[in-house]
C-alpha cells in the first residue's frame, strides 16, 4: 500500500482549542457563557460562581469566574494561568485551554496553545484588535495553529453596529493572511448576554453565519495531520521512553507513536545511531497488534539485538529525520535573564536530554510586522531565531513537518526551570514565503 | 487472539486518554530518581494503578505504592487496597496520620474531627523521609477550579508548596521532571480525564473497585448537607437522626468528610447513566472539606495537599 494513502490520523471527535485575546476583551466570559449555556456546568459550580460574584461585588453572575478559579485571579479580574475545561455536546468533545492575555503570562499562554487544534480569538468590538492579541496570535500561528474562530465581542456596547463588526473582520482577514491561517470565521457576539455564543441572535441581521458553538462543532479535528496536510512526515516516529525487559529474555522499546502508524514487519532505522532492523512485534495497551496507530503508547520488539536506549528514535520506512548536532530554531524566551550567545542549557527534545549551547542569537521576530530584526539577545517573552549546538546529536524534523520531533524546551541547569520553548527551523510563518 | 487491530479500526477518546497517561507515567519514571504512586483505594487511584501496571508490563512497577491513611477508613476500601496490592505483588508503604499525631507533628482534631487537612503533613513527611522526588496522584482537572489550573507535572518547593503564580511552562508533550534536592513533583496522568471518562474506562477495562461505589444500604445521618455514614468516628449528634438508606459513594476519602449519595445504581452501566445526567459535581456532592471557603482546594494545595 502506498504510504500516501494511509490514514494517519485517528478519527476521534475531539477538538482541542485555546482562547486568545487581550486582557478585558472577554475571553474567560466567552468560555463561561459557552459552558453555562451548553449546561456543562454543574448546579453547585454555577451556584458557587453566583455566590463569589456577589461576595466580590461584581454583579449577579461574573461568568469569568467559571474559569478564573484562583484567588489572585478573582481579586484582580484577570487570568494568570491556563484553565483546562472539558465539555461535550452530542456532536463532539472539547478540551478547552482558557489562556491568559497579559504579556507577562506569555509562557502560560504558549503552554495552552501548544496542543491546540484551533484558537478561539476574542476581540473587543468597541476597540478592535489590540497589540497583545496580535502577539498571542503570532505565537499560536508559530506553534502551528491554522484555524481561527474569532468572536467580535461586546457587540451590545456598539449597538450591534455592522460597521464595527466589519472592522474586526477586515483586521482579522489581513492578519490571518500574514500568519498563514487557513480557516477564519468571525462571529458578532455578546458574551455578557449570550448572543450568538450558543443561542443564535436576531440582534445582528447582517450576520447569517454559525454561532460560536456551531463553528466549534464544525471545525475539522485531527490535530497536526489534519491541519498540516501535505507537509507532515510520512514515516512513523517512536521516541524511546523506556526499555521493557521480558521474562525469559528479550527487550521491547516503549514510546508513543507519531507521524504515521508502525507495522509488524516494517523496516525501521534507529537514530541517531543509524542501525537497521525490522519490527517483530507490537504491544498496544489493548494487547498485541499488527499495527501501532498514531497517538498510542506502545512497545515494539525488533528482530535484531541492537543497543537501543532511552532518547533514541525508532523511525519507520520512509523519510528520515535529520541527525545533527547543530540547527537553526525559533525560540520563545520565557525568563527575565536575556538569551545570549555562548550560554549553556540542557535541551529536552522528544525523550532525549543533552547539554546545548546557544551558538548565536540571529534575529528577533517583530510581532507587529512579522519581520526578522537582527539582534544579539532576546528579552523575556520575545520570539527569535537562534543557532543551537548540542553535545550529542539529535534526530530532528522541521517543526512544520512534525510537532513531536520538531519541538524542544531549554532548561536552566542550575534551577531546572524551563526557560524556552523551541521549534526546529525558521519561524513557521515564513516558511511559505 | 482478537486484540489485533486492523487499519479499519479507529482509536477512540478513551484510547487517547489511556495512551497519554501511560506516556506521562513512563516519562516521569524515566526522568525522576525516586517516584512513588499515591493510592487511596478510590476509583481514580484504581485507574491510575491500572495504567501504571500497563505502562511497565510485563515488568513490575519501577516505584512503590503509598497510601496516606487518615485512620478514618471505610473497611471495604482497606480490604480492597490490600487485595489489589497483594494480587499485583507490589510494594505498599502506609503513611499514617495517627503516627503524625502521636509524634506531635499535628494536633488530633478529636474523635469526630476531620483529618483530611492533616494528611498534608503526613504526606510531606513521608516524601521527605523516603526522599521521593515525584509522587503520582489521580487528581483530575475537572474536579475543582484550582486543579483546572495545575500542570500535569506540578512543581513543589522544598516546603511542599504549590505556587500557582509560578508554574513551569509545559508545552507539547515535553514533560520536564528535573528537581533539586528536597523539591519534588506531583504528577497527574489523569489530568484530562473527566468523571465520566473514568467510569467508562473502568467499565471497558473491567477494573475492580471497593464495593461502596455501588448502591447498598447503610445507616447514615444528614450533616452539613451531606449524608455521612455512621461509624466509629461519625455518631449522631443531638438532634441528628440516623436513617437506613440506599446509597453509594461517588468519591472515597476520609470517612468523616466524605458523603454518600442516594442512589440505586448497583451496576457500572447504571453508574455511567447516573454520572452522565448528574447536575451536581462530584466534590460538591460528597466533600465537606471544599465547603469552607471559595478557594478551599487552592489553599490546601498551596500547603502541599494532593
Amino acid at each position: 500500500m502506498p504510504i500516501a494513502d494511509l490514514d494517519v490520523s485517528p478519527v476521534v471527535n475531539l477538538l482541542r482549542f485555546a482562547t486568545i485575546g487581550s486582557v478585558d476583551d472577554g475571553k474567560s466570559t466567552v468560555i463561561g457563557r459557552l459552558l453555562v449555556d451548553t449546561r456543562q456546568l454543574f448546579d453547585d459550580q454555577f451556584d458557587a460562581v453566583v455566590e463569589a460574584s456577589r461576595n466580590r461585588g461584581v454583579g449577579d453572575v461574573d461568568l469569568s469566574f467559571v474559569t478564573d478559579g484562583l484567588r489572585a485571579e478573582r481579586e484582580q479580574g484577570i487570568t494568570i494561568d491556563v484553565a483546562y475545561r472539558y465539555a461535550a455536546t452530542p456532536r463532539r468533545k472539547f478540551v478547552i485551554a482558557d489562556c491568559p492575555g497579559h504579556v507577562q503570562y506569555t509562557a502560560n499562554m504558549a503552554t495552552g496553545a501548544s496542543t491546540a487544534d484551533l484558537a478561539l480569538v476574542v476581540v473587543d468590538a468597541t476597540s478592535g484588535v489590540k497589540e497583545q492579541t496580535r502577539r498571542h496570535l503570532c505565537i499560536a500561528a508559530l506553534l502551528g495553529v491554522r484555524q481561527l474562530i474569532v468572536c467580535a465581542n461586546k457587540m451590545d456596547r456598539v449597538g450591534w453596529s455592522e460597521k464595527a463588526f466589519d472592522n474586526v473582520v477586515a483586521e482579522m482577514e489581513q492578519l490571518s493572511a500574514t500568519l498563514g491561517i487557513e480557516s477564519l470565521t468571525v462571529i458578532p457576539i455578546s458574551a455578557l448576554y449570550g448572543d450568538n455564543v450558543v443561542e443564535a441572535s436576531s440582534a445582528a441581521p447582517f450576520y447569517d453565519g454559525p454561532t460560536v458553538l456551531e463553528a466549534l462543532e464544525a471545525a475539522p479535528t485531527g490535530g497536526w495531520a489534519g491541519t498540516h496536510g501535505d507537509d507532515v512526515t510520512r514515516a512513523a516516529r517512536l521516541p524511546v521512553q523506556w526499555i521493557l525487559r521480558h521474562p525469559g529474555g528479550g527487550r521491547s522499546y516503549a514510546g508513543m507513536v507519531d507521524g504515521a502508524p508502525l507495522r509488524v514487519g516494517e523496516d525501521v532505522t534507529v537514530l541517531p545511531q543509524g542501525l537497521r532492523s525490522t519490527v517483530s512485534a507490537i504491544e498496544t495497551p489493548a494487547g498485541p497488534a499488527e499495527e501501532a496507530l498514531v497517538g498510542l503508547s506502545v512497545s515494539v520488539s525488533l528482530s535484531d539485538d541492537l543497543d537501543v536506549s532511552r532518547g533514541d528514535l525508532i523511525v519507520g520506512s520512509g523519510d528520515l529525520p535529520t541527525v545533527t548536532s547543530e540547527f537553526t530554531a525559533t525560540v520563545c524566551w520565557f525568563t527575565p535573564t536575556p538569551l545570549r550567545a555562548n550560554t549553556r542549557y540542557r535541551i529536552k527534545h522528544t525523550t532525549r536530554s543533552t547539554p546545548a549551547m546557544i551558538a548565536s542569537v540571529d534575529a528577533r521576530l517583530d510581532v507587529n510586522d512579522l519581520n526578522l530584526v537582527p539582534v544579539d539577545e532576546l528579552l523575556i517573552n520575545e520570539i527569535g531565531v537562534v543557532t543551537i549546538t548540542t553535545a550529542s546529536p539529535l534526530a530532528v524534523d522541521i517543526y512544520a513537518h512534525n510537532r513531536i520531533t520538531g519541538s524542544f524546551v531549554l532548561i536552566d541547569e542550575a534551577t531546572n526551570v524551563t526557560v524556552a520553548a523551541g521549534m526546529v527551523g525558521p519561524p513557521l510563518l515564513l516558511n511559505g514565503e | 487472539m482478537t486484540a489485533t487491530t486492523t487499519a479499519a479500526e479507529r482509536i477512540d477518546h478513551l484510547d487517547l486518554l489511556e495512551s497519554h497517561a501511560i506516556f506521562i507515567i513512563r516519562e516521569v519514571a524515566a526522568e525522576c530518581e525516586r517516584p512513588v504512586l499515591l493510592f487511596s483505594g478510590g476509583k481514580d487511584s484504581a485507574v491510575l494503578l491500572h495504567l501504571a501496571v500497563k505502562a511497565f508490563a510485563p515488568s513490575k512497577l519501577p516505584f512503590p505504592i503509598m497510601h496516606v491513611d487518615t485512620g478514618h477508613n471505610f473497611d471495604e476500601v482497606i480490604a480492597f487496597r490490600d487485595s489489589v496490592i497483594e494480587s499485583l505483588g507490589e510494594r505498599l508503604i502506609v503513611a499514617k496520620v495517627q503516627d503524625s499525631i502521636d509524634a506531635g507533628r499535628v494536633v488530633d482534631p478529636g474523635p469526630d474531627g476531620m483529618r483530611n487537612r492533616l494528611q498534608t503533613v503526613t504526606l510531606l513527611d513521608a516524601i521527605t523521609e523516603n526522599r521521593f522526588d515525584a509522587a503520582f496522584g489521580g487528581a483530575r482537572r475537572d474536579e475543582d477550579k484550582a486543579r483546572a489550573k495545575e500542570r500535569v507535572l506540578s512543581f513543589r518547593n522544598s516546603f511542599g508548596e504549590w505556587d500557582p503564580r509560578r508554574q513551569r511552562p509545559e508545552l507539547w508533550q515535553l514533560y520536564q521532571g528535573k528537581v533539586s534536592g528536597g523539591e519534588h513533583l506531583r504528577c497527574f496522568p489523569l489530568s484530562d480525564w473527566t468523571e465520566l471518562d473514568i467510569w467508562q474506562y473502568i467499565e471497558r477495562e473491567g477494573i475492580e473497585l471497593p464495593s461502596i461505589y455501588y448502591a447498598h444500604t447503610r445507616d447514615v445521618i444528614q450533616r452539613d448537607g451531606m449524608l455521612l455514614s455512621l461509624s466509629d468516628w461519625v455518631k449522631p449528634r443531638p438532634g441528628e437522626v440516623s436513617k437506613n438508606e440506599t446509597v453509594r459513594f461517588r468519591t472515597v476519602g476520609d470517612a468523616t468528610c466524605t458523603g454518600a449519595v442516594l442512589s440505586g445504581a448497583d451496576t457500572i452501566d447504571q453508574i455511567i447513566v447516573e454520572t452522565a445526567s448528574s447536575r451536581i459535581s462530584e466534590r460538591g456532592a460528597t466533600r465537606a472539606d471544599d465547603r469552607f471557603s471559595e478557594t478551599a482546594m487552592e489553599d490546601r494545595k498551596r500547603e502541599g495537599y494532593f
Side-chain angles (χ1 to χ4, degrees):
Chain A
M1 189 167 13
I3 288 172
D5 291 340
L6 296 174
D7 192 352
V8 296
S9 58
V11 178
V12 177
N13 206 344
L14 170 76
L15 184 79
R16 304 185 71 109
F17 68 91
T19 61
I20 287 183
S22 189
V23 180
D24 292 337
D25 283 1
K27 284 184 311 299
S28 297
T29 308
V30 170
I31 296 305
R33 170 61 67 188
L34 196 60
L35 292 170
V36 168
D37 285 6
T38 51
R39 288 179 59 82
Q40 301 295 321
L41 222 55
F42 291 110
D43 292 347
D44 56 307
Q45 293 172 330
F46 185 74
D47 293 346
V49 167
V50 171
E51 195 187 329
S53 306
R54 290 197 181 134
N55 290 344
R56 292 187 184 273
V58 289
D60 284 344
V61 190
D62 185 336
L63 289 171
S64 70
F65 283 8
V66 172
T67 55
D68 288 342
L70 297 174
R71 185 189 295 276
E73 293 179 323
R74 292 180 171 198
E75 282 167 1
Q76 300 174 66
I78 61 166
T79 306
I80 291 172
D81 211 328
V82 192
Y84 292 92
R85 299 291 305 213
Y86 308 87
T89 67
R91 301 187 58 178
R92 70 169 31 155
K93 284 179 184 280
F94 299 98
V95 178
I96 306 164
D98 186 29
C99 298
H102 279 84
V103 64
Q104 73 187 102
Y105 304 125
T106 296
N108 297 340
M109 176 271 164
T111 293
S114 69
T115 52
D117 302 323
L118 174 149
L120 183 72
V121 187
V122 179
V123 175
D124 181 345
T126 66
S127 52
V129 181
K130 295 177 184 135
E131 179 180 345
Q132 190 52 26
T133 305
R134 300 173 76 92
R135 171 184 292 274
H136 282 183
L137 270 170
C138 179
I139 292 170
L142 283 171
L143 289 167
V145 171
R146 290 290 171 269
Q147 306 182 65
L148 303 182
I149 294 174
V150 180
C151 303
N153 191 25
K154 307 190 186 180
M155 286 296 292
D156 51 295
R157 300 255 294 270
V158 292
W160 290 92
S161 148
E162 184 173 3
K163 186 167 179 307
F165 176 65
D166 287 344
N167 288 344
V168 176
V169 173
E171 278 187 289
M172 284 308 306
E173 278 177 350
Q174 194 210 352
L175 200 51
S176 294
T178 58
L179 294 174
I181 298 299
E182 284 162 12
S183 160
L184 171 71
T185 308
V186 188
I187 306 170
I189 73 159
S190 164
L192 190 60
Y193 297 105
D195 298 86
N196 284 335
V197 179
V198 173
E199 302 295 330
S201 169
S202 55
F206 53 85
Y207 178 77
D208 61 359
T211 63
V212 175
L213 179 65
E214 285 166 349
L216 287 169
E217 287 185 327
T221 62
W224 203 243
T227 49
H228 286 76
D230 295 340
D231 289 338
V232 295
T233 49
R234 301 212 171 269
R237 270 101 175 98
L238 183 88
V240 175
Q241 281 189 286
W242 189 269
I243 317 296
L244 292 167
R245 291 203 195 88
H246 294 256
R251 294 183 299 279
S252 60
Y253 308 105
M256 187 182 274
V257 186
D258 199 70
L262 194 62
R263 283 181 190 72
V264 172
E266 185 168 343
D267 292 334
V268 293
T269 306
V270 181
L271 297 174
Q273 303 91 318
L275 304 169
R276 309 290 296 269
S277 189
T278 306
V279 176
S280 58
I282 293 174
E283 188 77 19
T284 73
E290 285 298 309
E291 184 182 47
L293 296 176
V294 171
L296 285 190
S297 280
V298 301
S299 66
V300 302
S301 306
L302 302 181
S303 53
D304 303 276
D305 192 14
L306 303 179
D307 176 8
V308 180
S309 46
R310 173 173 164 85
D312 292 345
L313 185 70
I314 297 174
V315 184
S317 304
D319 53 346
L320 293 181
T322 306
V323 175
T324 178
S325 45
E326 178 172 330
F327 57 92
T328 296
T330 305
V331 297
C332 194
W333 187 244
F334 293 145
T335 218
T337 314
L339 174 65
R340 298 199 179 96
N342 301 317
T343 46
R344 201 184 121 123
Y345 298 95
R346 202 157 52 80
I347 186 170
K348 183 173 184 188
H349 169 257
T350 66
T351 56
R352 172 167 294 225
S353 291
T354 180
M357 185 76 89
I358 305 299
S360 59
V361 174
D362 305 323
R364 177 175 63 81
L365 181 71
D366 185 316
V367 296
N368 290 311
D369 59 17
L370 303 179
N371 285 328
L372 287 174
V373 184
V375 290
D376 52 18
E377 63 176 25
L378 287 182
L379 306 179
I380 184 168
N381 297 321
E382 289 187 340
I383 299 155
V385 180
V386 300
T387 305
I388 294 176
T389 56
T390 57
S392 62
L394 302 177
V396 299
D397 287 301
I398 298 287
Y399 184 75
H401 299 172
N402 190 295
R403 178 139 55 166
I404 299 297
T405 45
S407 63
F408 62 88
V409 290
L410 295 178
I411 299 151
D412 183 316
E413 291 183 300
T415 62
N416 294 315
V417 170
T418 303
V419 290
M423 291 153 278
V424 177
L428 194 43
L429 318 172
L430 308 176
N431 281 352
E433 290 177 9
Chain B
M1 191 85 217
T2 54
T4 299
T5 56
T6 67
E9 281 178 293
R10 300 298 189 191
I11 305 178
D12 70 12
H13 178 59
L14 290 179
D15 294 322
L16 286 187
L17 287 173
E18 175 186 60
S19 279
H20 187 208
I22 289 173
F23 178 85
I24 294 162
I25 294 168
R26 286 171 173 164
E27 208 55 14
V28 170
E31 291 225 329
C32 295
E33 302 280 331
R34 293 173 67 85
V36 63
L37 186 143
L38 301 175
F39 182 77
S40 67
K43 66 183 190 317
D44 300 313
S45 58
V47 166
L48 182 64
L49 181 58
H50 180 84
L51 290 162
V53 169
K54 276 198 181 198
F56 301 105
S59 311
K60 292 262 184 207
L61 295 183
F63 39 74
I65 298 162
M66 182 162 79
H67 178 215
V68 179
D69 179 1
T70 67
H72 294 160
N73 298 302
F74 296 98
D75 293 342
E76 297 89 339
V77 177
I78 296 300
F80 168 76
R81 177 196 78 184
D82 292 341
S83 88
V84 167
I85 301 297
E86 196 194 328
S87 66
L88 290 174
E90 296 286 357
R91 289 168 288 163
L92 177 73
I93 299 166
V94 180
K96 294 187 166 164
V97 171
Q98 187 62 50
D99 292 346
S100 303
I101 292 171
D102 294 345
R105 297 278 294 138
V106 292
V107 178
D108 191 344
D112 64 348
M114 214 180 272
R115 287 182 167 185
N116 204 37
R117 196 160 188 161
L118 307 190
Q119 293 181 90
T120 301
V121 172
T122 310
L123 170 65
L124 293 178
D125 284 353
I127 285 172
T128 307
E129 221 167 88
N130 292 282
R131 291 180 292 115
F132 292 131
D133 58 355
F136 291 103
R140 311 186 322 265
R141 285 172 175 155
D142 78 327
E143 283 179 77
D144 176 88
K145 56 191 180 301
R147 285 194 165 154
K149 293 269 167 184
E150 196 167 7
R151 300 281 189 262
V152 171
L153 299 198
S154 183
F155 177 78
R156 293 292 186 280
N157 66 16
S158 55
F159 298 93
E161 294 170 320
W162 177 54
D163 184 350
R165 304 193 70 145
R166 298 183 54 177
Q167 300 198 84
R168 287 181 177 178
E170 188 170 79
L171 287 92
W172 302 291
Q173 292 192 21
L174 287 167
Y175 297 107
Q176 201 269 97
K178 286 281 178 271
V179 294
S180 304
E183 302 165 345
H184 72 279
L185 293 174
R186 299 291 171 81
C187 317
F188 303 115
L190 306 181
S191 285
D192 284 345
W193 297 51
T194 65
E195 186 187 13
L196 188 59
D197 296 328
I198 292 285
W199 279 107
Q200 289 176 330
Y201 188 71
I202 287 167
E203 181 198 32
R204 188 181 94 171
E205 301 286 308
I207 297 171
E208 269 192 66
L209 292 183
S211 56
I212 64 171
Y213 276 106
Y214 301 93
H216 58 284
T217 57
R218 169 180 293 266
D219 291 329
V220 294
I221 52 155
Q222 184 92 35
R223 183 182 295 170
D224 301 333
M226 290 194 316
L227 292 177
L228 292 183
S229 174
L230 289 189
S231 64
D232 290 349
W233 319 281
V234 179
K235 302 231 171 16
R237 291 172 184 165
E240 290 176 341
V241 184
S242 83
K243 280 170 75 178
N244 192 263
E245 299 275 17
T246 300
V247 298
R248 67 177 199 88
F249 287 86
R250 266 175 91 178
T251 67
V252 166
D254 185 282
T256 62
C257 66
T258 305
V261 292
L262 292 173
S263 167
D266 57 3
T267 65
I268 292 193
D269 287 346
Q270 288 170 16
I271 290 173
I272 287 173
V273 170
E274 193 178 279
T275 304
S277 55
S278 174
R279 292 306 310 151
I280 306 288
S281 74
E282 179 181 309
R283 295 195 77 89
T286 65
R287 291 298 178 97
D289 49 331
D290 289 340
R291 298 185 178 182
F292 298 132
S293 82
E294 181 185 336
T295 52
M297 176 66 90
E298 177 183 342
D299 297 342
R300 284 206 309 281
K301 286 192 83 68
R302 281 172 175 273
E303 294 170 0
Y305 188 74
F306 298 105

